[in-house]
Amino acid sequence: MNTTENLAHRTPVAELVETTGHAGSEWLSRYSASLMGVFGTPQRVLVRGAGCLVWDADGKEYLDLLGGIAVNALGHANPFVTSVIASQLATLGHVSNFFTSPTQIALAERLLALTNAPTGSKAFFTNSGTEANEAAFKLARRNSGGGAAKRTKIIALEGAFHGRTMGALALTAKEAYRAPFEPLPGGVVHIPFGDVEALNAAVDDTVAAVFLEPIQGEAGVRPLPPGYLRAARELTSKAGALLILDEVQTGIGRTGKWLASEDAGITPDAVTLAKGLGGGFPIGALITFGAGTSSLLTAGQHGTTFGGNPVATAAALATLHAIENQHILQNVAEVGEHLRSALAALTGVTEVRGEGLLVGFDLDADVAPAVVQAGLDAGFIVNSPGPRTIRLAPPLVLTVAQANSFLDAFPAILQAAKDAQ
Ligand SMILES: *Cc1c(COP(=O)(O)O)cnc(C)c1O
């Protein structure tokens, strides 16, 4: 797409903000003068997207292999999702939770069906992943395992990432995220990752809940070992503790299944969702399984102004519809398999992890941040969750040809990264 076509792409937004004709460098100096520095300096100023491609303010094109961190499930500017959002907004945009709307109810029903939730299961909608986990945290506080004593202990894993608000941050393991904000809501104990013995030792009748990510995304795409979820289900059931799965990153088709935990053949007590759910529109959800868990939070005990609004729930309905009707889960499985096996064969790649289109791979040197930069220079967006780890979480509609364009370019990107060290 050249600059002329770029300029021709005018929208009503362009009447409010001149989105073209300013260099990225100019935007970035305005950014640093006006936005809080918590994200550091943004890598690029993006102005437009279509499918798996995005363009920056300087007209450069990128293959987006990060998908807004596992969010843009159907790629950018998906025409179907866009038209559903626009038509819902033009019909009824927001009503507050004093009221409900058909899209909210239909989405709850749809999610309960997709997750094989038993009778009595319920949904609660939020605007983000961290809010879904906050709701789950509050749910856990209400679980006494059937006994009279209040249970305040919660188990999470080393390496866990559950969000940045205070409750979700308490569940998050990373010291650099936590330490500046202590004291955090109490009672959370982090145990070694993927260690059934450690879980067995930790889960007793003082534990309200165990929070697990089936695949730890922020920790570099680390799947729980086979059998772990099953063991966690048995141990928590025995102790009267809730098993809460954070599928904010892994859910909604990311691994080629609706939920990454599907294959474990267990029914958790709750699942949290967000990232891919709205196809790029902000929405999260807490699903509680069974009537007992679903009634732990009662009228007045939790709430949200925006959560579950007609537009967000319509966006999610559109996303789920497209994933199902365009056979996207199959695409995720096939392209993901291809990507992982091809990556494993590349020189300089020492390990490949993940499932579907959530892919992590390790390099033979601590050059991952430099690979991100060299990737951008070469027209590819990737992410480095660790010093030698690269994460890919592209739109679920990525094609084999697009995957191959990255695989072909990767040796030169890695070399450029090493040369830049
Ligand atoms: C991204 C993420 C969150 C937090 O979601 P936000 O929408 O950023 O608040 C929580 N858990 C997991 C596993 C995530 O990947």
PDB file of all heavy atoms in Angstrom, residues 65 339 342-343 345-350 361-364 367-368 371-372 374-375 378 380 382 388 390 392 403-418:
ATOM      1  N   LEU A  65       2.420 -10.521  13.561  1.00  0.00           N
ATOM      2  CA  LEU A  65       2.475 -11.868  14.149  1.00  0.00           C
ATOM      3  C   LEU A  65       2.236 -11.840  15.655  1.00  0.00           C
ATOM      4  O   LEU A  65       2.448 -12.830  16.346  1.00  0.00           O
ATOM      5  CB  LEU A  65       3.830 -12.517  13.822  1.00  0.00           C
ATOM      6  CG  LEU A  65       4.014 -12.809  12.324  1.00  0.00           C
ATOM      7  CD1 LEU A  65       5.463 -13.159  12.017  1.00  0.00           C
ATOM      8  CD2 LEU A  65       3.100 -13.934  11.872  1.00  0.00           C
ATOM      9  N   LEU A 339       3.968 -23.810  11.478  1.00  0.00           N
ATOM     10  CA  LEU A 339       4.877 -22.785  12.005  1.00  0.00           C
ATOM     11  C   LEU A 339       5.844 -23.390  13.020  1.00  0.00           C
ATOM     12  O   LEU A 339       7.058 -23.158  12.972  1.00  0.00           O
ATOM     13  CB  LEU A 339       4.012 -21.692  12.647  1.00  0.00           C
ATOM     14  CG  LEU A 339       4.569 -20.316  12.950  1.00  0.00           C
ATOM     15  CD1 LEU A 339       5.283 -19.707  11.762  1.00  0.00           C
ATOM     16  CD2 LEU A 339       3.414 -19.392  13.372  1.00  0.00           C
ATOM     17  N   ALA A 342       8.369 -25.850  11.391  1.00  0.00           N
ATOM     18  CA  ALA A 342       9.355 -25.131  10.576  1.00  0.00           C
ATOM     19  C   ALA A 342      10.321 -24.335  11.465  1.00  0.00           C
ATOM     20  O   ALA A 342      11.525 -24.296  11.198  1.00  0.00           O
ATOM     21  CB  ALA A 342       8.656 -24.210   9.587  1.00  0.00           C
ATOM     22  N   LEU A 343       9.797 -23.739  12.524  1.00  0.00           N
ATOM     23  CA  LEU A 343      10.673 -22.987  13.440  1.00  0.00           C
ATOM     24  C   LEU A 343      11.695 -23.913  14.090  1.00  0.00           C
ATOM     25  O   LEU A 343      12.862 -23.566  14.241  1.00  0.00           O
ATOM     26  CB  LEU A 343       9.838 -22.298  14.527  1.00  0.00           C
ATOM     27  CG  LEU A 343       9.136 -21.000  14.138  1.00  0.00           C
ATOM     28  CD1 LEU A 343       8.111 -20.612  15.209  1.00  0.00           C
ATOM     29  CD2 LEU A 343      10.139 -19.868  13.931  1.00  0.00           C
ATOM     30  N   ALA A 345      13.105 -26.360  12.957  1.00  0.00           N
ATOM     31  CA  ALA A 345      14.164 -26.769  12.023  1.00  0.00           C
ATOM     32  C   ALA A 345      15.145 -25.638  11.728  1.00  0.00           C
ATOM     33  O   ALA A 345      16.137 -25.842  11.027  1.00  0.00           O
ATOM     34  CB  ALA A 345      13.528 -27.269  10.724  1.00  0.00           C
ATOM     35  N   LEU A 346      14.894 -24.433  12.248  1.00  0.00           N
ATOM     36  CA  LEU A 346      15.757 -23.291  11.931  1.00  0.00           C
ATOM     37  C   LEU A 346      17.009 -23.265  12.809  1.00  0.00           C
ATOM     38  O   LEU A 346      16.945 -23.546  14.011  1.00  0.00           O
ATOM     39  CB  LEU A 346      14.984 -21.973  12.125  1.00  0.00           C
ATOM     40  CG  LEU A 346      13.888 -21.658  11.116  1.00  0.00           C
ATOM     41  CD1 LEU A 346      13.196 -20.341  11.483  1.00  0.00           C
ATOM     42  CD2 LEU A 346      14.451 -21.578   9.704  1.00  0.00           C
ATOM     43  N   THR A 347      18.113 -22.898  12.208  1.00  0.00           N
ATOM     44  CA  THR A 347      19.361 -22.712  12.954  1.00  0.00           C
ATOM     45  C   THR A 347      19.195 -21.530  13.904  1.00  0.00           C
ATOM     46  O   THR A 347      18.637 -20.499  13.513  1.00  0.00           O
ATOM     47  CB  THR A 347      20.521 -22.412  11.973  1.00  0.00           C
ATOM     48  OG1 THR A 347      20.512 -23.415  10.965  1.00  0.00           O
ATOM     49  CG2 THR A 347      21.857 -22.406  12.688  1.00  0.00           C
ATOM     50  N   GLY A 348      19.654 -21.700  15.131  1.00  0.00           N
ATOM     51  CA  GLY A 348      19.557 -20.605  16.105  1.00  0.00           C
ATOM     52  C   GLY A 348      18.318 -20.707  16.971  1.00  0.00           C
ATOM     53  O   GLY A 348      18.187 -19.969  17.943  1.00  0.00           O
ATOM     54  N   VAL A 349      17.396 -21.622  16.624  1.00  0.00           N
ATOM     55  CA  VAL A 349      16.193 -21.846  17.445  1.00  0.00           C
ATOM     56  C   VAL A 349      16.426 -23.109  18.253  1.00  0.00           C
ATOM     57  O   VAL A 349      16.661 -24.182  17.696  1.00  0.00           O
ATOM     58  CB  VAL A 349      14.927 -21.979  16.570  1.00  0.00           C
ATOM     59  CG1 VAL A 349      13.718 -22.367  17.419  1.00  0.00           C
ATOM     60  CG2 VAL A 349      14.667 -20.677  15.825  1.00  0.00           C
ATOM     61  N   THR A 350      16.401 -22.989  19.588  1.00  0.00           N
ATOM     62  CA  THR A 350      16.771 -24.133  20.422  1.00  0.00           C
ATOM     63  C   THR A 350      15.567 -24.895  20.978  1.00  0.00           C
ATOM     64  O   THR A 350      15.689 -26.058  21.340  1.00  0.00           O
ATOM     65  CB  THR A 350      17.644 -23.677  21.612  1.00  0.00           C
ATOM     66  OG1 THR A 350      16.917 -22.700  22.360  1.00  0.00           O
ATOM     67  CG2 THR A 350      18.942 -23.065  21.120  1.00  0.00           C
ATOM     68  N   PHE A 361       9.306 -19.497  21.139  1.00  0.00           N
ATOM     69  CA  PHE A 361      10.537 -20.234  20.825  1.00  0.00           C
ATOM     70  C   PHE A 361      11.753 -19.529  21.402  1.00  0.00           C
ATOM     71  O   PHE A 361      11.792 -18.313  21.531  1.00  0.00           O
ATOM     72  CB  PHE A 361      10.686 -20.516  19.326  1.00  0.00           C
ATOM     73  CG  PHE A 361      10.712 -19.306  18.427  1.00  0.00           C
ATOM     74  CD1 PHE A 361      11.919 -18.777  17.985  1.00  0.00           C
ATOM     75  CD2 PHE A 361       9.532 -18.726  17.980  1.00  0.00           C
ATOM     76  CE1 PHE A 361      11.950 -17.680  17.120  1.00  0.00           C
ATOM     77  CE2 PHE A 361       9.547 -17.626  17.133  1.00  0.00           C
ATOM     78  CZ  PHE A 361      10.751 -17.099  16.703  1.00  0.00           C
ATOM     79  N   ASP A 362      12.727 -20.364  21.782  1.00  0.00           N
ATOM     80  CA  ASP A 362      13.948 -19.860  22.394  1.00  0.00           C
ATOM     81  C   ASP A 362      15.055 -19.767  21.354  1.00  0.00           C
ATOM     82  O   ASP A 362      15.130 -20.588  20.441  1.00  0.00           O
ATOM     83  CB  ASP A 362      14.391 -20.790  23.533  1.00  0.00           C
ATOM     84  CG  ASP A 362      13.447 -20.712  24.726  1.00  0.00           C
ATOM     85  OD1 ASP A 362      12.649 -19.753  24.785  1.00  0.00           O
ATOM     86  OD2 ASP A 362      13.513 -21.618  25.578  1.00  0.00           O
ATOM     87  N   LEU A 363      15.919 -18.778  21.545  1.00  0.00           N
ATOM     88  CA  LEU A 363      17.047 -18.553  20.648  1.00  0.00           C
ATOM     89  C   LEU A 363      18.332 -19.027  21.320  1.00  0.00           C
ATOM     90  O   LEU A 363      18.363 -19.218  22.549  1.00  0.00           O
ATOM     91  CB  LEU A 363      17.148 -17.058  20.335  1.00  0.00           C
ATOM     92  CG  LEU A 363      15.850 -16.435  19.808  1.00  0.00           C
ATOM     93  CD1 LEU A 363      15.956 -14.914  19.775  1.00  0.00           C
ATOM     94  CD2 LEU A 363      15.534 -16.983  18.417  1.00  0.00           C
ATOM     95  N   ASP A 364      19.382 -19.171  20.529  1.00  0.00           N
ATOM     96  CA  ASP A 364      20.654 -19.650  21.094  1.00  0.00           C
ATOM     97  C   ASP A 364      21.491 -18.518  21.704  1.00  0.00           C
ATOM     98  O   ASP A 364      22.648 -18.708  22.038  1.00  0.00           O
ATOM     99  CB  ASP A 364      21.456 -20.419  20.033  1.00  0.00           C
ATOM    100  CG  ASP A 364      21.773 -19.574  18.808  1.00  0.00           C
ATOM    101  OD1 ASP A 364      21.369 -18.382  18.777  1.00  0.00           O
ATOM    102  OD2 ASP A 364      22.414 -20.093  17.873  1.00  0.00           O
ATOM    103  N   VAL A 367      19.212 -12.472  22.517  1.00  0.00           N
ATOM    104  CA  VAL A 367      19.037 -11.402  21.528  1.00  0.00           C
ATOM    105  C   VAL A 367      17.567 -11.149  21.192  1.00  0.00           C
ATOM    106  O   VAL A 367      17.267 -10.494  20.195  1.00  0.00           O
ATOM    107  CB  VAL A 367      19.810 -11.712  20.218  1.00  0.00           C
ATOM    108  CG1 VAL A 367      21.311 -11.661  20.450  1.00  0.00           C
ATOM    109  CG2 VAL A 367      19.393 -13.056  19.624  1.00  0.00           C
ATOM    110  N   ALA A 368      16.663 -11.656  22.040  1.00  0.00           N
ATOM    111  CA  ALA A 368      15.240 -11.556  21.669  1.00  0.00           C
ATOM    112  C   ALA A 368      14.769 -10.103  21.472  1.00  0.00           C
ATOM    113  O   ALA A 368      14.085  -9.818  20.482  1.00  0.00           O
ATOM    114  CB  ALA A 368      14.379 -12.297  22.686  1.00  0.00           C
ATOM    115  N   VAL A 371      15.874  -9.054  18.193  1.00  0.00           N
ATOM    116  CA  VAL A 371      15.109  -9.728  17.135  1.00  0.00           C
ATOM    117  C   VAL A 371      13.797  -8.974  16.877  1.00  0.00           C
ATOM    118  O   VAL A 371      13.363  -8.834  15.739  1.00  0.00           O
ATOM    119  CB  VAL A 371      14.841 -11.212  17.499  1.00  0.00           C
ATOM    120  CG1 VAL A 371      13.718 -11.816  16.646  1.00  0.00           C
ATOM    121  CG2 VAL A 371      16.124 -12.030  17.337  1.00  0.00           C
ATOM    122  N   VAL A 372      13.180  -8.482  17.964  1.00  0.00           N
ATOM    123  CA  VAL A 372      11.953  -7.699  17.792  1.00  0.00           C
ATOM    124  C   VAL A 372      12.241  -6.463  16.912  1.00  0.00           C
ATOM    125  O   VAL A 372      11.494  -6.174  15.975  1.00  0.00           O
ATOM    126  CB  VAL A 372      11.374  -7.268  19.156  1.00  0.00           C
ATOM    127  CG1 VAL A 372      10.221  -6.282  18.983  1.00  0.00           C
ATOM    128  CG2 VAL A 372      10.904  -8.493  19.936  1.00  0.00           C
ATOM    129  N   ALA A 374      14.846  -5.971  14.806  1.00  0.00           N
ATOM    130  CA  ALA A 374      15.223  -6.377  13.445  1.00  0.00           C
ATOM    131  C   ALA A 374      13.997  -6.870  12.690  1.00  0.00           C
ATOM    132  O   ALA A 374      13.876  -6.662  11.474  1.00  0.00           O
ATOM    133  CB  ALA A 374      16.291  -7.461  13.502  1.00  0.00           C
ATOM    134  N   GLY A 375      13.070  -7.499  13.403  1.00  0.00           N
ATOM    135  CA  GLY A 375      11.817  -7.944  12.794  1.00  0.00           C
ATOM    136  C   GLY A 375      11.017  -6.757  12.277  1.00  0.00           C
ATOM    137  O   GLY A 375      10.519  -6.773  11.146  1.00  0.00           O
ATOM    138  N   ALA A 378      12.394  -5.433   9.205  1.00  0.00           N
ATOM    139  CA  ALA A 378      12.120  -6.322   8.074  1.00  0.00           C
ATOM    140  C   ALA A 378      10.621  -6.432   7.766  1.00  0.00           C
ATOM    141  O   ALA A 378      10.222  -7.133   6.838  1.00  0.00           O
ATOM    142  CB  ALA A 378      12.699  -7.709   8.353  1.00  0.00           C
ATOM    143  N   PHE A 380       8.040  -7.279  10.190  1.00  0.00           N
ATOM    144  CA  PHE A 380       7.320  -8.302  10.965  1.00  0.00           C
ATOM    145  C   PHE A 380       7.177  -7.859  12.420  1.00  0.00           C
ATOM    146  O   PHE A 380       8.156  -7.407  13.024  1.00  0.00           O
ATOM    147  CB  PHE A 380       8.071  -9.639  10.931  1.00  0.00           C
ATOM    148  CG  PHE A 380       8.194 -10.205   9.550  1.00  0.00           C
ATOM    149  CD1 PHE A 380       9.330  -9.948   8.785  1.00  0.00           C
ATOM    150  CD2 PHE A 380       7.170 -10.971   9.002  1.00  0.00           C
ATOM    151  CE1 PHE A 380       9.447 -10.448   7.494  1.00  0.00           C
ATOM    152  CE2 PHE A 380       7.277 -11.477   7.716  1.00  0.00           C
ATOM    153  CZ  PHE A 380       8.419 -11.218   6.952  1.00  0.00           C
ATOM    154  N   VAL A 382       6.774  -9.096  16.084  1.00  0.00           N
ATOM    155  CA  VAL A 382       6.847 -10.223  17.017  1.00  0.00           C
ATOM    156  C   VAL A 382       7.121  -9.643  18.396  1.00  0.00           C
ATOM    157  O   VAL A 382       7.297  -8.439  18.547  1.00  0.00           O
ATOM    158  CB  VAL A 382       7.930 -11.254  16.615  1.00  0.00           C
ATOM    159  CG1 VAL A 382       7.682 -11.776  15.210  1.00  0.00           C
ATOM    160  CG2 VAL A 382       9.337 -10.663  16.738  1.00  0.00           C
ATOM    161  N   ARG A 388      15.708 -14.391  25.747  1.00  0.00           N
ATOM    162  CA  ARG A 388      16.001 -15.211  24.560  1.00  0.00           C
ATOM    163  C   ARG A 388      14.756 -15.924  24.032  1.00  0.00           C
ATOM    164  O   ARG A 388      14.853 -16.942  23.339  1.00  0.00           O
ATOM    165  CB  ARG A 388      17.149 -16.197  24.814  1.00  0.00           C
ATOM    166  CG  ARG A 388      16.977 -17.171  25.948  1.00  0.00           C
ATOM    167  CD  ARG A 388      18.109 -18.200  25.930  1.00  0.00           C
ATOM    168  NE  ARG A 388      19.426 -17.568  26.074  1.00  0.00           N
ATOM    169  CZ  ARG A 388      20.577 -18.172  25.800  1.00  0.00           C
ATOM    170  NH1 ARG A 388      20.603 -19.408  25.366  1.00  0.00           N
ATOM    171  NH2 ARG A 388      21.727 -17.536  25.980  1.00  0.00           N
ATOM    172  N   ILE A 390      11.026 -15.606  21.947  1.00  0.00           N
ATOM    173  CA  ILE A 390      10.124 -14.872  21.057  1.00  0.00           C
ATOM    174  C   ILE A 390       8.733 -15.499  21.163  1.00  0.00           C
ATOM    175  O   ILE A 390       8.585 -16.719  21.212  1.00  0.00           O
ATOM    176  CB  ILE A 390      10.612 -14.961  19.584  1.00  0.00           C
ATOM    177  CG1 ILE A 390      11.990 -14.297  19.444  1.00  0.00           C
ATOM    178  CG2 ILE A 390       9.601 -14.338  18.628  1.00  0.00           C
ATOM    179  CD1 ILE A 390      12.016 -12.798  19.659  1.00  0.00           C
ATOM    180  N   LEU A 392       4.842 -15.533  19.382  1.00  0.00           N
ATOM    181  CA  LEU A 392       3.960 -15.194  18.268  1.00  0.00           C
ATOM    182  C   LEU A 392       2.531 -15.501  18.697  1.00  0.00           C
ATOM    183  O   LEU A 392       2.259 -16.564  19.255  1.00  0.00           O
ATOM    184  CB  LEU A 392       4.297 -16.034  17.023  1.00  0.00           C
ATOM    185  CG  LEU A 392       5.764 -16.088  16.565  1.00  0.00           C
ATOM    186  CD1 LEU A 392       5.903 -17.002  15.342  1.00  0.00           C
ATOM    187  CD2 LEU A 392       6.285 -14.687  16.245  1.00  0.00           C
ATOM    188  N   ALA A 403       2.846 -17.210   7.083  1.00  0.00           N
ATOM    189  CA  ALA A 403       3.779 -17.831   8.022  1.00  0.00           C
ATOM    190  C   ALA A 403       5.119 -18.070   7.332  1.00  0.00           C
ATOM    191  O   ALA A 403       6.185 -17.793   7.897  1.00  0.00           O
ATOM    192  CB  ALA A 403       3.206 -19.145   8.551  1.00  0.00           C
ATOM    193  N   ASN A 404       5.065 -18.549   6.097  1.00  0.00           N
ATOM    194  CA  ASN A 404       6.302 -18.825   5.348  1.00  0.00           C
ATOM    195  C   ASN A 404       7.107 -17.563   5.089  1.00  0.00           C
ATOM    196  O   ASN A 404       8.338 -17.599   5.074  1.00  0.00           O
ATOM    197  CB  ASN A 404       5.984 -19.522   4.027  1.00  0.00           C
ATOM    198  CG  ASN A 404       5.617 -20.985   4.242  1.00  0.00           C
ATOM    199  OD1 ASN A 404       5.892 -21.548   5.305  1.00  0.00           O
ATOM    200  ND2 ASN A 404       5.001 -21.592   3.244  1.00  0.00           N
ATOM    201  N   SER A 405       6.423 -16.444   4.874  1.00  0.00           N
ATOM    202  CA  SER A 405       7.169 -15.205   4.608  1.00  0.00           C
ATOM    203  C   SER A 405       8.021 -14.846   5.832  1.00  0.00           C
ATOM    204  O   SER A 405       9.152 -14.377   5.691  1.00  0.00           O
ATOM    205  CB  SER A 405       6.228 -14.064   4.209  1.00  0.00           C
ATOM    206  OG  SER A 405       5.489 -13.618   5.329  1.00  0.00           O
ATOM    207  N   PHE A 406       7.499 -15.130   7.018  1.00  0.00           N
ATOM    208  CA  PHE A 406       8.281 -14.886   8.234  1.00  0.00           C
ATOM    209  C   PHE A 406       9.409 -15.909   8.373  1.00  0.00           C
ATOM    210  O   PHE A 406      10.556 -15.554   8.671  1.00  0.00           O
ATOM    211  CB  PHE A 406       7.385 -14.918   9.468  1.00  0.00           C
ATOM    212  CG  PHE A 406       8.137 -14.814  10.762  1.00  0.00           C
ATOM    213  CD1 PHE A 406       8.799 -13.644  11.108  1.00  0.00           C
ATOM    214  CD2 PHE A 406       8.215 -15.894  11.639  1.00  0.00           C
ATOM    215  CE1 PHE A 406       9.520 -13.541  12.299  1.00  0.00           C
ATOM    216  CE2 PHE A 406       8.925 -15.810  12.827  1.00  0.00           C
ATOM    217  CZ  PHE A 406       9.583 -14.624  13.155  1.00  0.00           C
ATOM    218  N   LEU A 407       9.072 -17.176   8.137  1.00  0.00           N
ATOM    219  CA  LEU A 407      10.081 -18.229   8.263  1.00  0.00           C
ATOM    220  C   LEU A 407      11.246 -17.977   7.307  1.00  0.00           C
ATOM    221  O   LEU A 407      12.415 -18.154   7.669  1.00  0.00           O
ATOM    222  CB  LEU A 407       9.442 -19.598   7.980  1.00  0.00           C
ATOM    223  CG  LEU A 407       8.420 -20.049   9.028  1.00  0.00           C
ATOM    224  CD1 LEU A 407       7.537 -21.169   8.482  1.00  0.00           C
ATOM    225  CD2 LEU A 407       9.128 -20.494  10.311  1.00  0.00           C
ATOM    226  N   ASP A 408      10.930 -17.526   6.088  1.00  0.00           N
ATOM    227  CA  ASP A 408      11.986 -17.228   5.104  1.00  0.00           C
ATOM    228  C   ASP A 408      12.848 -16.055   5.550  1.00  0.00           C
ATOM    229  O   ASP A 408      14.052 -16.024   5.304  1.00  0.00           O
ATOM    230  CB  ASP A 408      11.353 -16.904   3.735  1.00  0.00           C
ATOM    231  CG  ASP A 408      10.694 -18.124   3.112  1.00  0.00           C
ATOM    232  OD1 ASP A 408      10.971 -19.257   3.583  1.00  0.00           O
ATOM    233  OD2 ASP A 408       9.897 -17.966   2.167  1.00  0.00           O
ATOM    234  N   ALA A 409      12.206 -15.077   6.191  1.00  0.00           N
ATOM    235  CA  ALA A 409      12.937 -13.865   6.583  1.00  0.00           C
ATOM    236  C   ALA A 409      13.709 -14.060   7.889  1.00  0.00           C
ATOM    237  O   ALA A 409      14.641 -13.303   8.174  1.00  0.00           O
ATOM    238  CB  ALA A 409      11.957 -12.700   6.738  1.00  0.00           C
ATOM    239  N   PHE A 410      13.342 -15.081   8.671  1.00  0.00           N
ATOM    240  CA  PHE A 410      13.869 -15.178  10.026  1.00  0.00           C
ATOM    241  C   PHE A 410      15.393 -15.298  10.126  1.00  0.00           C
ATOM    242  O   PHE A 410      16.015 -14.621  10.968  1.00  0.00           O
ATOM    243  CB  PHE A 410      13.192 -16.306  10.819  1.00  0.00           C
ATOM    244  CG  PHE A 410      13.610 -16.305  12.250  1.00  0.00           C
ATOM    245  CD1 PHE A 410      13.106 -15.358  13.138  1.00  0.00           C
ATOM    246  CD2 PHE A 410      14.576 -17.199  12.714  1.00  0.00           C
ATOM    247  CE1 PHE A 410      13.533 -15.310  14.449  1.00  0.00           C
ATOM    248  CE2 PHE A 410      15.007 -17.158  14.027  1.00  0.00           C
ATOM    249  CZ  PHE A 410      14.486 -16.211  14.896  1.00  0.00           C
ATOM    250  N   PRO A 411      16.050 -16.119   9.301  1.00  0.00           N
ATOM    251  CA  PRO A 411      17.509 -16.226   9.445  1.00  0.00           C
ATOM    252  C   PRO A 411      18.202 -14.866   9.327  1.00  0.00           C
ATOM    253  O   PRO A 411      19.099 -14.558  10.136  1.00  0.00           O
ATOM    254  CB  PRO A 411      17.902 -17.163   8.294  1.00  0.00           C
ATOM    255  CG  PRO A 411      16.685 -18.013   8.096  1.00  0.00           C
ATOM    256  CD  PRO A 411      15.522 -17.092   8.321  1.00  0.00           C
ATOM    257  N   ALA A 412      17.772 -14.044   8.394  1.00  0.00           N
ATOM    258  CA  ALA A 412      18.389 -12.716   8.242  1.00  0.00           C
ATOM    259  C   ALA A 412      18.042 -11.815   9.430  1.00  0.00           C
ATOM    260  O   ALA A 412      18.871 -11.009   9.875  1.00  0.00           O
ATOM    261  CB  ALA A 412      17.923 -12.076   6.937  1.00  0.00           C
ATOM    262  N   ILE A 413      16.829 -11.935   9.956  1.00  0.00           N
ATOM    263  CA  ILE A 413      16.422 -11.139  11.125  1.00  0.00           C
ATOM    264  C   ILE A 413      17.300 -11.503  12.328  1.00  0.00           C
ATOM    265  O   ILE A 413      17.819 -10.636  13.036  1.00  0.00           O
ATOM    266  CB  ILE A 413      14.919 -11.377  11.448  1.00  0.00           C
ATOM    267  CG1 ILE A 413      14.037 -10.773  10.352  1.00  0.00           C
ATOM    268  CG2 ILE A 413      14.561 -10.800  12.812  1.00  0.00           C
ATOM    269  CD1 ILE A 413      12.556 -11.129  10.458  1.00  0.00           C
ATOM    270  N   LEU A 414      17.488 -12.824  12.530  1.00  0.00           N
ATOM    271  CA  LEU A 414      18.303 -13.277  13.666  1.00  0.00           C
ATOM    272  C   LEU A 414      19.745 -12.792  13.514  1.00  0.00           C
ATOM    273  O   LEU A 414      20.363 -12.326  14.480  1.00  0.00           O
ATOM    274  CB  LEU A 414      18.247 -14.810  13.779  1.00  0.00           C
ATOM    275  CG  LEU A 414      19.026 -15.422  14.936  1.00  0.00           C
ATOM    276  CD1 LEU A 414      18.546 -14.888  16.278  1.00  0.00           C
ATOM    277  CD2 LEU A 414      18.927 -16.946  14.916  1.00  0.00           C
ATOM    278  N   GLN A 415      20.256 -12.874  12.294  1.00  0.00           N
ATOM    279  CA  GLN A 415      21.635 -12.417  12.045  1.00  0.00           C
ATOM    280  C   GLN A 415      21.753 -10.912  12.313  1.00  0.00           C
ATOM    281  O   GLN A 415      22.692 -10.458  12.971  1.00  0.00           O
ATOM    282  CB  GLN A 415      22.053 -12.738  10.594  1.00  0.00           C
ATOM    283  CG  GLN A 415      23.550 -12.597  10.362  1.00  0.00           C
ATOM    284  CD  GLN A 415      24.377 -13.403  11.381  1.00  0.00           C
ATOM    285  OE1 GLN A 415      24.173 -14.605  11.547  1.00  0.00           O
ATOM    286  NE2 GLN A 415      25.288 -12.744  12.088  1.00  0.00           N
ATOM    287  N   ALA A 416      20.764 -10.154  11.834  1.00  0.00           N
ATOM    288  CA  ALA A 416      20.788  -8.701  12.056  1.00  0.00           C
ATOM    289  C   ALA A 416      20.746  -8.399  13.550  1.00  0.00           C
ATOM    290  O   ALA A 416      21.423  -7.489  14.039  1.00  0.00           O
ATOM    291  CB  ALA A 416      19.604  -8.042  11.337  1.00  0.00           C
ATOM    292  N   ALA A 417      19.965  -9.181  14.299  1.00  0.00           N
ATOM    293  CA  ALA A 417      19.863  -8.977  15.740  1.00  0.00           C
ATOM    294  C   ALA A 417      21.207  -9.254  16.409  1.00  0.00           C
ATOM    295  O   ALA A 417      21.636  -8.513  17.297  1.00  0.00           O
ATOM    296  CB  ALA A 417      18.782  -9.876  16.318  1.00  0.00           C
ATOM    297  N   LYS A 418      21.864 -10.329  15.973  1.00  0.00           N
ATOM    298  CA  LYS A 418      23.164 -10.690  16.571  1.00  0.00           C
ATOM    299  C   LYS A 418      24.220  -9.627  16.207  1.00  0.00           C
ATOM    300  O   LYS A 418      25.033  -9.254  17.054  1.00  0.00           O
ATOM    301  CB  LYS A 418      23.599 -12.071  16.110  1.00  0.00           C
ATOM    302  CG  LYS A 418      22.769 -13.171  16.788  1.00  0.00           C
ATOM    303  CD  LYS A 418      23.173 -14.576  16.352  1.00  0.00           C
ATOM    304  CE  LYS A 418      22.417 -15.621  17.170  1.00  0.00           C
ATOM    305  NZ  LYS A 418      22.632 -16.991  16.683  1.00  0.00           N
TER     306      LYS A 418
END
